[in-house]
């Protein structure tokens, strides 16, 4: 499999004498009634020895059988120079294909994979332009500097996705069309402005050209921050570092920019994207985990019921089920808990809601495990649901039926079950007398937002403040869980928070760079209380998103303001966040 694109075919055609001007090169983009034109081009090319490109054949699914027949007819006695090139986007489902088998079997398959690494991405970005492009603008110095910065920016946002959720919360289809349109807009604005309209350009690129793909607010903030860092007057003055040790190039010709990247761009590293070097460890670890999960899945599907040692797979499964059922405690007695409650405060409401949701989850665990146990004993017929449950348990993964009623988690089944028991224990301790625990494990909630909202509700009731005029104040203490003896008079102490992309320095009392190989440092106790919005101080603060898991995105919980001595943009580019579970 090779990497290729339509432009490469056209360039090769020019070298070999097949061009549009010479009328021996035909390019047909399928869709909107272009099928008859494509058939005529095929017949003419097969007879005369021309080249044909049929683009986007995935758009004309019904016509593809006709195309297969036409290809067979043209292949009966074709001209020696006749060549047919076909392009299509991959199917959304990797197990399905709308392209007929005959076309696939008769074709040499070539894939257009995106370049890997920031250097390859910058070169590919520059390849979209020519020397004529660089010389086209009357403000040549400004145009060339900003064009190169846009190429670097495109390379960074496209390749950053390899770092998973720390790179982007969601995956976006950034493409070279975004880059070329941005450069066209740049040209028009520079030609029609006396000064470089930095703010206008940043808005157009960050909110429309690239930002038009973005659906997550935190990703939009990241996109805008890159442009704030790259597009500023120092860029034209040649004094801006796009990355540590990589100064923006001086005014060069087209080949000079390629040479500059070859000679001066530092070796591939997360630092080039604004990330901490630890991000590389996380990326490689995730890649290895996915590989082993795939291998384990293949092993599970192929293994038979033959004995492993002296215990059959069935006996092993029965042992696992028995172990899980034995460890699972009784559900919470909701009638008894409701009877205990004298004052239904917001905190008490949260505790009761969590108990109800835990009961629903535990009931599902007991029901499904008991049915599977009866199935293995021959007392019930094994159905597809039981088989799925059995396979997931063998793979140390959380079954889908449990996942639907549970909280987001990326743990394996054994770790997840131990985590579940810890959550039940925390709830049991809290509901024994409904007094607020000395410190609360925020990650142990199905709905962590409910506790944070309850803190505001409790304060609002006490002080008769309007809830919509309030916010949370976050203070990181110089203590850990073991040092906290009692709950605060107002608000709550929170434990079990982890940072990704940075760490909290207890002595300095602010965010600092992570230590090498320390991926998820634990935060000290965080004191959360409610204040009115007019008392909120955002100076020297980093608005840090809080997520339930490393997947981020839809697991967003809240925003905690953390003190910083560095500029907040450093932590934004570093993908710094608080995680409730690692």
């Amino acid at each position: 499999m090779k990497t290729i694109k339509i432009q490469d075919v056209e360039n090769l055609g020019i070298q070999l004498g097949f061009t549009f001007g010479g009328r021996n090169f035909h390019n047909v983009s399928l869709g909107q009634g272009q099928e008859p034109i494509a058939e005529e081009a095929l017949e003419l090319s097969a007879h005369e020895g021309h080249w044909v490109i049929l683009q986007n054949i995935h758009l004309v699914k019904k016509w593809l059988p006709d195309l297969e027949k036409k290809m067979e007819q043209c292949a009966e006695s074709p001209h020696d120079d006749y060549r047919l090139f076909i392009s299509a986007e991959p199917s959304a489902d990797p197990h399905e294909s709308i392209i007929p088998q005959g076309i696939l079997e008769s074709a040499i398959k070539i894939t257009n994979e995106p370049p890997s690494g920031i250097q390859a991405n910058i070169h590919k970005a520059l390849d979209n332009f020519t020397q004529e492009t660089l010389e086209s603008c009357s403000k040549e110095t400004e145009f060339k500097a900003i064009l190169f910065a846009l190429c670097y920016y495109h390379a960074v946002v496209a390749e950053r996705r390899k770092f998973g959720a720390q790179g982007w919360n969601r995956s976006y289809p950034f493409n070279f069309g975004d880059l070329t349109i941005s450069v066209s807009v740049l040209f028009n604005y520079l030609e029609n402005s006396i000064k470089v309209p930095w703010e206008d350009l940043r808005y157009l690129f960050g909110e429309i050209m690239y930002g038009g793909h973005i659906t997550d607010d935190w990703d939009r903030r990241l996109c805008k921050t890159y442009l704030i860092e790259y597009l500023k007057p120092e860029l034209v003055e040649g004094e801006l570092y796009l990355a540590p040790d990589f100064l923006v190039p001086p005014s060069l010709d087209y080949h000079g920019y390629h040479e500059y990247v070859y000679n001066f761009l530092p070796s591939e590293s997360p630092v080039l994207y604004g990330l901490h070097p630890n991000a590389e460890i996380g990326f490689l670890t995730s890649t290895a985990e996915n590989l082993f999960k795939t291998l384990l899945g293949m092993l599970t599907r192929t293994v038979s019921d033959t004995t492993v040692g002296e215990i059959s797979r069935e006996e092993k499964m029965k042992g696992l089920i028995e172990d899980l059922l034995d460890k699972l405690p009784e559900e919470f007695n909701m009638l008894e808990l409701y009877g205990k409650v004298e004052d239904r405060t917001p905190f008490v409401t949260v505790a009761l809601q969590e108990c109800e949701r835990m009961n629903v989850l535990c009931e599902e665990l007991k029901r499904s495990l008991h049915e599977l146990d009866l199935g293995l004993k021959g007392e019930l017929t094994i159905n597809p649901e039981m088989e799925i449950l059995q396979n997931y348990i063998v793979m140390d993964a959380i079954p889908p039926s449990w996942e639907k009623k549970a909280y987001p988690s990326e743990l394996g089944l054994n770790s997840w079950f131990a985590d579940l028991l810890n959550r039940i224990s925390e709830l049991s301790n809290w509901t024994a007398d409904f007094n607020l625990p000395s410190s609360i494990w925020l990650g142990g909630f199905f709905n962590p937002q409910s506790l944070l909202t309850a803190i505001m509700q409790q304060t609002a009731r006490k002080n008769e403040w309007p809830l919509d005029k309030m916010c949370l104040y976050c203070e990181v203490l110089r203590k850990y869980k073991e040092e906290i003896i009692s709950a605060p008079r107002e608000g709550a102490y929170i434990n079990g928070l982890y940072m990704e992309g940075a760490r909290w320095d207890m002595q300095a009392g602010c965010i600092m760079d992570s230590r090498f190989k320390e991926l998820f440092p634990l935060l000290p106790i965080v004191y959360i209380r409610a204040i009115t919005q007019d008392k909120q101080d955002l100076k020297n603060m980093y608005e840090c998103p809080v997520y339930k898991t490393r997947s981020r995105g839809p697991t967003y919980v809240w925003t905690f303001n953390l003190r910083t001595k560095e500029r907040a943009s450093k932590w934004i580019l570093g993908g710094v966040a608080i995680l409730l579970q690692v």
Side-chain angles (χ1 to χ4, degrees):
M1 301 288 275
K2 290 175 62 183
T3 301
I4 196 167
K5 60 181 181 178
I6 298 300
Q7 187 65 45
D8 297 329
V9 179
E10 293 176 0
N11 292 339
L12 179 62
I14 291 169
Q15 293 176 25
L16 300 177
F18 293 89
T19 62
F20 299 121
R23 296 180 179 276
N24 59 356
F25 194 113
H26 310 278
N27 188 345
V28 183
S29 186
L30 274 304
Q32 297 183 342
Q34 294 294 301
E35 296 90 327
I37 297 172
E39 291 181 8
E40 288 177 15
L42 283 172
E43 290 176 1
L44 176 65
S45 301
H47 186 260
E48 301 289 339
H50 299 175
W51 282 18
V52 187
I53 297 179
L54 301 182
Q55 294 193 51
N56 301 324
I57 64 168
H58 60 280
L59 299 177
V60 286
K61 180 179 179 180
K62 293 181 180 178
W63 179 69
L64 292 183
D66 295 334
L67 172 62
E68 183 180 5
K69 292 175 186 175
K70 182 62 69 176
M71 286 173 59
E72 290 175 0
Q73 292 170 8
C74 293
E76 289 175 0
S77 55
H79 192 285
D80 289 344
D81 294 333
Y82 164 61
R83 296 291 184 274
L84 171 61
F85 301 89
I86 296 174
S87 78
E89 288 186 3
S91 172
D93 185 346
H95 301 98
E96 294 182 3
S97 174
I98 64 169
I99 301 173
Q101 187 175 349
I103 294 179
L104 293 174
E105 288 179 349
S106 64
I108 298 173
K109 272 71 72 179
I110 300 173
T111 181
N112 185 11
E113 296 289 344
S116 177
I118 196 165
Q119 185 174 110
N121 271 279
I122 296 173
H123 287 303
K124 275 287 186 182
L126 285 168
D127 285 344
N128 289 274
F129 309 104
T130 62
Q131 181 63 33
E132 288 73 23
T133 310
L134 297 180
E135 297 171 352
S136 61
C137 185
S138 58
K139 294 186 179 67
E140 188 174 319
T141 304
E142 292 87 344
F143 181 70
K144 289 163 75 173
I146 299 173
L147 186 148
F148 184 85
L150 279 174
C151 288
Y152 187 88
Y153 166 73
H154 177 86
V156 166
V157 299
E159 189 66 5
R160 187 182 169 101
R161 73 188 68 168
K162 76 178 183 181
F163 296 104
Q166 191 179 357
W168 293 104
N169 280 351
R170 303 173 189 270
S171 183
Y172 302 109
F174 299 124
N175 56 66
F176 290 118
D178 301 322
L179 176 62
T180 53
I181 293 171
S182 296
V183 170
S184 297
V185 169
L186 169 65
F187 173 84
N188 291 331
Y189 264 72
L190 290 182
E191 288 294 317
N192 296 298
S193 306
I194 298 172
K195 294 182 178 179
V196 179
W198 295 107
E199 192 171 337
D200 291 351
L201 292 174
R202 286 194 292 262
Y203 179 84
L204 288 165
F205 303 151
E207 296 286 353
I208 300 172
M209 306 309 173
Y210 285 85
H213 295 292
I214 297 175
T215 56
D216 185 278
D217 289 340
W218 298 103
D219 286 341
R220 189 174 296 277
R221 180 180 73 161
L222 171 62
C223 180
K224 287 159 63 177
T225 303
Y226 268 129
L227 290 168
I228 290 169
E229 293 295 305
Y230 296 161
L231 300 189
K232 50 188 177 182
E234 293 92 321
L235 173 68
V236 177
E237 295 162 11
E239 300 173 356
L240 178 69
Y241 281 88
L242 294 172
D245 302 323
F246 186 59
L247 186 67
V248 64
S251 182
L252 301 169
D253 62 10
Y254 178 71
H255 294 291
Y257 283 117
H258 277 292
E259 288 297 318
Y260 188 89
V261 173
Y262 276 123
N263 295 330
F264 295 104
L265 184 71
S267 56
E268 181 72 17
S269 162
V271 175
L272 297 177
Y273 307 86
L275 293 158
H276 190 273
N278 283 349
E280 186 76 12
I281 301 172
F283 160 63
L284 295 173
T285 302
S286 297
T287 304
E289 284 176 355
N290 290 334
L291 172 63
F292 286 118
K293 279 180 184 176
T294 305
L295 291 172
L296 182 60
M298 293 168 62
L299 179 65
T300 304
R301 285 193 294 270
T302 56
V303 72
S304 65
D305 283 332
T306 54
T307 57
V308 180
E310 296 181 357
I311 307 172
S312 71
R313 183 186 178 192
E314 189 175 295
E315 290 300 319
K316 187 177 180 182
M317 180 58 62
K318 287 178 183 176
L320 287 170
I321 293 170
E322 188 177 337
D323 185 49
L324 291 173
L325 287 172
D326 285 346
K327 289 179 179 177
L328 204 59
E330 290 296 317
E331 286 92 355
F332 291 99
N333 187 329
M334 297 308 300
L335 288 175
E336 184 181 314
L337 292 180
Y338 278 112
K340 278 186 185 179
V341 176
E342 295 178 4
D343 181 16
R344 190 85 175 261
T345 66
F347 289 126
V348 169
T349 302
V350 169
L352 292 171
Q353 288 174 346
E354 289 293 315
C355 289
E356 287 173 351
R357 295 189 69 171
M358 186 61 76
N359 279 354
V360 171
L361 176 59
C362 290
E363 284 168 9
E364 174 59 26
L365 262 68
K366 288 181 179 178
R367 180 200 66 79
S368 57
L369 287 172
H370 185 60
E371 284 185 3
L372 179 58
D373 188 42
L374 292 176
L376 293 173
K377 290 175 180 176
E379 297 177 27
L380 281 179
T381 304
I382 296 285
N383 58 33
E385 184 188 343
M386 293 180 191
E387 289 181 357
I388 291 170
L389 179 65
Q390 187 174 199
N391 289 335
Y392 271 82
I393 291 174
V394 170
M395 289 173 63
D396 190 38
I398 308 165
S401 63
W402 299 2
E403 213 165 26
K404 285 179 184 176
K405 300 186 186 311
Y407 38 84
S409 177
E410 295 182 353
L411 299 174
L413 180 58
N414 286 330
S415 302
W416 180 85
F417 194 77
D419 177 71
L420 174 71
L421 297 180
N422 287 337
R423 289 167 184 256
I424 294 172
S425 176
E426 289 277 323
L427 279 176
S428 297
N429 294 336
W430 188 359
T431 54
D433 52 15
F434 283 104
N435 289 328
L436 196 67
S438 55
S439 71
I440 299 173
W441 175 31
L442 188 63
F445 288 81
F446 283 83
N447 183 16
Q449 292 96 324
S450 64
L451 176 77
L452 300 173
T453 304
I455 293 173
M456 291 201 294
Q457 289 172 335
Q458 187 87 339
T459 307
R461 285 185 184 184
K462 180 181 177 182
N463 299 308
E464 297 183 351
W465 292 343
L467 196 60
D468 61 343
K469 301 293 182 183
M470 296 176 66
C471 62
L472 291 181
Y473 174 76
C474 169
E475 180 186 353
V476 184
L477 306 182
R478 296 189 176 183
K479 294 181 179 180
Y480 284 98
K481 179 182 177 182
E482 297 75 19
E483 302 171 70
I484 298 295
I485 301 171
S486 60
R489 292 182 180 179
E490 198 172 276
Y493 294 133
I494 304 296
N495 68 65
L497 304 181
Y498 300 86
M499 289 195 78
E500 184 177 28
R503 66 182 174 89
W504 183 264
D505 189 295
M506 195 182 287
Q507 300 305 318
C510 64
I511 306 176
M512 298 287 274
D513 282 320
S514 298
R515 296 187 180 94
F516 290 108
K517 299 184 181 180
E518 192 177 89
L519 300 187
F520 306 107
L522 179 68
L523 268 167
I525 290 293
V526 178
Y527 176 36
I528 304 290
R529 60 187 176 88
I531 59 172
T532 53
Q533 291 175 3
D534 59 321
K535 293 182 180 178
Q536 191 177 27
D537 181 16
L538 295 177
K539 188 179 179 182
N540 298 324
M541 290 285 186
Y542 167 59
E543 294 182 29
C544 184
V546 181
Y547 298 98
K548 294 178 185 177
T549 72
R550 290 172 58 192
S551 295
R552 302 194 182 191
T555 69
Y556 170 74
V557 175
W558 210 274
T559 303
F560 288 173
N561 293 325
L562 301 180
R563 192 165 298 283
T564 173
K565 292 180 181 177
E566 306 262 10
R567 290 164 58 222
S569 59
K570 174 178 179 177
W571 311 121
I572 294 172
L573 299 185
V576 175
I578 291 173
L579 305 179
L580 301 186
Q581 185 186 96
V582 294

